[in-house]
Every structure is written in structure tokens, then in C-alpha cells.
Amino acid sequence: MPTRGQWVVVGLDNGGNTNNATVLEPSGRFLVDSMVERPSRVLEGAAVAVEALAQSFDEILERTGVARESVRAAGFDSPGPASADGVISSRGSTNFAHPSWRNFDYRGALEKKLGLPVVYNNDGNAAALYAHHVCFGPASVTRSSISAIVGTGLGGGVIEAGHIVKGGAGFAGELGHVHIPMEGILGEGQPVPRCNCGFVGDVESIASLTAIETNLLPYWLPRFEGHELGKIDDIAQAAKAVRSYGEKGDPLARKIFELQAMAIGRLFTIASRFTDPDAYFVGGGVAESLPEFREWFLAKVRENTALEEEQEETATFALVEHLDMAGARGAALAALESVHGEMA
Ligand SMILES: [Zn+2]
């Protein structure tokens, strides 16, 4: 239950399968400690998905005992590609394949539906904002950070002085599509991998589940003769299994993850000369794995991030934990920030 007479903001995380919701007090306290999920129904088109988000909104208020009048704003995040203000790309995507999504003003539609100010961020940026707050707490507004989140692709975000850097067209923080040097990452005779975005040799072409499936596993598996993963016919299934082998210390899996850590380290090296952030965060499946494995991975990322001596002394490297809740919580933090901005 919220403190009496207190206002709150709501955070809604819109995923390919489910929505998750949370409630945040101005003090920074979340009223929900677990996932509160409902089907997102995004594949059924825009109108159905907006309705599903509104249901998530109602459900989280009921669950936390918050009156609708107490809600000042809602924050919401979704996968991209979308503009900085939440208009879905005309190109469509896996989640937004239904024709009704093309150029759909997702944020505007939800704002109309809820009758409240709605603040939009893409899921990578929302998670980055959450990671930033977990690390810095009340000092967030004076700090900067970069988050790399490994999933099907590589997402994340850039936070400067506590704010998400969105950029002119909403493409800031598209860290997967930054070119990195491939020297020492590619094996002998291995072609430079192409990313879905069309680039060759960007971060996502190495550090993503897609890269394991299309590039890393096909190259490395034959070099580990008789490996159990070779018995799995479906390469997509085999790619997904690599992480559990990594946890067990399997040399092939560790090789693959070391290459991913190198790619992320090289991205962070670029960031260190670009905006020189206080903190470098790594999230995704690896960050949720067994402690020995995730600490090993983080150490490899750090090892491959070439910082100046002064930066070495002050830089923080950390894993983004509880990523499942990061979207809703980051979305809520962004909504809180916008309310504070209006009040100032
Ligand atoms: Zn790319």
C-alpha cells in the first residue's frame, strides 16, 4: 500500500509475449517486488495491444491498492524500432509485423487510452536507466553510465547526468550497431560477420544470441571435435544451449563467450573515449547465470576494455541483475523524472 495521500507513477513493460507492470513512489520505492505479467498480444495488432496494456495498468493498481487519481504519469517501454517518442517504425519488426503497427503512435494511443501523461522509451534504454539507478541511487543525477544488454540482439543505453540520451531521431544507444575492430576476434579464415542491420563487423554481429547461431557456433563447433552440441540438429537450439555449457566451464562455450566479452569490451573502449562514463553495465542471459560464470564474463569484459589510467581508478563495472523487472522499473523511473521536471 502506498503512503496515504501520496502520488505515484506506473511503469509498463511491453514485451513480445507479456507485459509486466510496477508502481513507483516519488521516494524511489517500488510497491511491487515481483513480476506482474499479462499477455501483451502484440501479434494481434496495435488496438489489441493498447487494450492489453490498459488492462495491465488497471491490474497493477488493484494489486497495490492505489487509487487511479493518485497516478501522475505512466512510463512505458517496448522493443524497437520506434522513434524517440514511441512511433513504431514503418519497416515493422518481429514483434510489430501486423500491418496496423506501421507508423503507429504507440505512446500517443496509450496516453489517450489511460487519460494520463505517458512517457516512452525503448526497452534497452529503460533497462539502462534502471541499472543506473540501482548502482547510483540518489546520486544518479550526477553520474553517467553505459549498458550493454545481450539478448537475441545487443541492446542497451547511454545515461548522462541521470538522463537517457535519446538522440535526434531516437537512435542513440543503439549499441549493437557500433562498428568495432574485428582483429583478434575472428578466427583464421572466418568471414567478417554481417549483422541484421546490414553492417559488417558491428558489436551485435558477435555479442548476441543471433551471432552464436549464425556465426560463432558454425565456425567453432567443428574445431571442437566430438562436442555434444554437434549432436543437436537444430542450430538455434544448440545456440541457446551454449550458455548452460558455459556455466559448466565447457571450453567451446567459454571460447564463444570470451569472444562476446571482447566485443563488448571494445564497445566500452569506444564509450570511454566518447563520453567517459562513470559505470559500465552488462546485462542479459549471462548476467542471470551462475555466479562463477557471470563474474568470469564481467572480468573478461573489463579485461578487454582499454581505459586510461585515471579511468581505471574510478570506473565501475557491474552486472545488471533482475533484468526481467528492469523494463517496467526503468519505464517508471523515466515517468517519475518527467513529473519532477514539470514540478521544477
Ligand atoms: Zn548491426
Side-chain angles (χ1 to χ4, degrees):
M1 289 285 280
T3 316
R4 235 183 131 74
Q6 176 87 276
W7 59 270
V8 299
V9 294
V10 167
L12 299 169
D13 173 49
N14 179 231
N17 297 310
T18 53
N19 294 328
N20 180 40
T22 195
V23 177
L24 174 63
E25 288 186 339
S27 65
R29 185 170 77 104
F30 289 98
L31 300 183
V32 186
D33 294 324
S34 58
M35 301 290 284
V36 182
E37 291 183 299
R38 289 183 69 90
S40 67
R41 304 179 67 184
V42 290
L43 298 177
E44 293 168 64
V48 177
V50 169
E51 187 62 43
L53 276 167
Q55 283 170 3
S56 288
F57 179 87
D58 291 342
E59 188 188 18
I60 199 68
L61 294 189
E62 198 175 311
R63 173 121 166 200
T64 52
V66 170
R68 204 183 167 91
E69 306 79 66
S70 308
V71 183
R72 282 281 182 92
F76 118 88
D77 75 295
S78 80
S83 74
D85 203 24
V87 177
I88 301 299
S89 163
S90 57
R91 282 184 287 127
S93 71
T94 319
N95 290 311
F96 303 122
H98 193 281
S100 62
W101 285 114
R102 304 287 149 86
N103 290 317
F104 181 71
D105 179 5
Y106 206 0
R107 188 204 65 81
L110 186 62
E111 185 166 271
K112 208 168 162 188
K113 178 84 194 166
L114 298 180
L116 275 170
V118 171
V119 177
Y120 176 81
N121 282 290
N122 72 44
D123 52 4
N125 283 343
L129 186 62
Y130 174 64
H132 186 85
H133 275 259
V134 169
C135 182
F136 293 120
S140 288
V141 289
T142 62
R143 301 296 165 88
S144 58
S145 67
I146 177 168
S147 292
I149 295 164
V150 190
T152 312
L154 187 127
V158 178
I159 310 294
E160 191 57 46
H163 296 283
I164 295 168
V165 177
K166 289 194 172 189
F171 283 90
E174 292 284 334
L175 304 174
H177 312 300
V178 172
H179 279 112
I180 51 166
M182 283 287 142
E183 207 187 325
I185 288 182
L186 296 179
E188 215 184 306
Q190 185 178 8
V192 183
R194 179 176 291 276
C195 176
N196 285 330
C197 74
F199 284 173
V200 287
D202 64 11
V203 185
E204 185 171 304
S205 73
I206 299 290
S208 64
L209 178 61
T210 307
I212 295 181
E213 184 184 327
T214 60
N215 164 34
L216 298 171
L217 198 54
Y219 179 83
W220 286 104
L221 191 52
R223 286 163 176 79
F224 286 77
E225 214 175 304
H227 197 284
E228 279 179 44
L229 282 172
K231 293 175 195 138
I232 303 176
D233 285 336
D234 181 2
I235 186 81
Q237 286 304 318
K240 278 189 188 135
V242 174
R243 193 175 95 206
S244 66
Y245 279 84
E247 288 182 321
K248 288 179 269 184
D250 175 76
L252 165 62
R254 290 282 168 125
K255 177 77 193 172
I256 286 174
F257 278 102
E258 185 174 359
L259 295 170
Q260 297 204 323
M262 283 173 83
I264 294 169
R266 288 176 186 194
L267 168 71
F268 284 173
T269 302
I270 293 170
S272 74
R273 304 308 193 280
F274 229 95
T275 58
D276 184 17
D278 295 297
Y280 301 82
F281 302 126
V282 179
V286 190
E288 316 277 335
S289 65
L290 293 176
E292 185 275 331
F293 183 44
R294 62 181 191 233
E295 292 304 331
W296 171 87
F297 187 76
L298 186 65
K300 286 286 173 199
V301 170
R302 183 164 198 160
E303 207 177 294
N304 285 284
T305 306
L307 300 179
E308 300 286 354
E309 213 173 293
E310 294 84 345
Q311 293 174 315
E312 287 280 6
E313 284 166 22
T314 57
T316 298
F317 282 75
L319 297 160
V320 182
E321 291 181 68
H322 309 297
L323 194 68
D324 51 357
M325 282 200 276
R329 289 188 160 190
L333 285 162
L336 182 60
E337 194 178 280
S338 89
V339 174
H340 280 152
E342 275 167 24
M343 287 162 71

